[in-house]
Amino acid sequence: RGITIPVVAWGTTVATARKTSGTSVQVCTVRTLVDMCTVPDTQTNVGLEMCENLFGDRFKLRDGLLAISLSNLNAQNHLGIALGNMSRMERGEQWSQGLNLTPNIGRLLEALDRERLDIADVLGLKVRTIYEHFQLSFHVPISSV
């Protein structure tokens, strides 16, 4: 039909939330900055404008889908936290990710992050660090995890 529709990709979600009932959620945090790109890249301005109209001035442009994929820390962070708390899950315990992110699990997350950053560096891509992610996501100072 001759139309071009931009596809926007984000490195993470704008907010985190928990379902509190069948009809409501509790918003836990609204992220300060979200990495994004638009495909095709000729539609970047359209994609950015749409995101800013919906969610405000909180988007940082990255160079393509590979940079966005490597900017998404959710898989690596949840993996590390889950591995460190697997016995809690097996026992069906109630537990909080944030409260059970111990110094040892933090070191595991930092090691996973170094591998991700090395891959991005070899590919010539700029991505955020885990420290920046925690600062922008959870409004904490940049320091060790």
Side-chain angles (χ1 to χ4, degrees), residues 61-133:
L61 295 175
R62 294 290 185 187
D63 293 327
L65 289 173
L66 188 54
I68 292 301
S69 295
L70 287 169
S71 290
N72 186 339
L73 284 85
N74 290 333
Q76 91 178 22
N77 290 351
H78 289 282
L79 166 73
I81 295 168
L83 286 174
N85 289 281
M86 195 170 293
S87 64
R88 286 184 169 91
M89 291 184 273
E90 288 176 353
R91 292 184 186 123
E93 293 178 18
Q94 291 282 8
W95 63 285
S96 164
Q97 288 187 88
L99 294 177
N100 290 294
L101 201 163
T102 63
N104 195 40
I105 293 172
R107 287 188 291 276
L108 173 61
L109 296 181
E110 290 171 350
L112 291 169
D113 198 52
R114 283 190 296 277
E115 290 184 14
R116 182 186 63 85
L117 293 172
D118 287 347
I119 292 168
D121 187 51
V122 166
L123 296 170
L125 298 170
K126 176 71 176 141
V127 297
R128 72 176 54 175
T129 66
I130 192 170
Y131 311 109
E132 293 166 323
H133 174 75

Side-chain angles (χ1 to χ4, degrees), residues 6-71:
V7 175
V8 175
W10 292 351
T12 191
T13 58
V14 170
T16 65
R18 297 241 184 275
K19 182 179 176 181
T20 56
S21 75
T23 59
S24 63
V25 297
Q26 174 188 355
V27 175
C28 301
T29 188
V30 177
R31 292 191 166 92
T32 305
L33 195 65
V34 175
D35 294 341
M36 68 161 288
C37 76
T38 305
V39 178
D41 62 0
T42 56
Q43 295 291 306
T44 294
N45 291 338
V46 174
L48 178 60
E49 182 180 351
M50 178 179 55
C51 290
E52 288 178 341
N53 286 338
L54 291 169
F55 301 104
D57 184 20
R58 64 181 71 252
F59 295 92
K60 179 172 180 71
L61 295 175
R62 294 290 185 187
D63 293 327
L65 289 173
L66 188 54
I68 292 301
S69 295
L70 287 169
S71 290

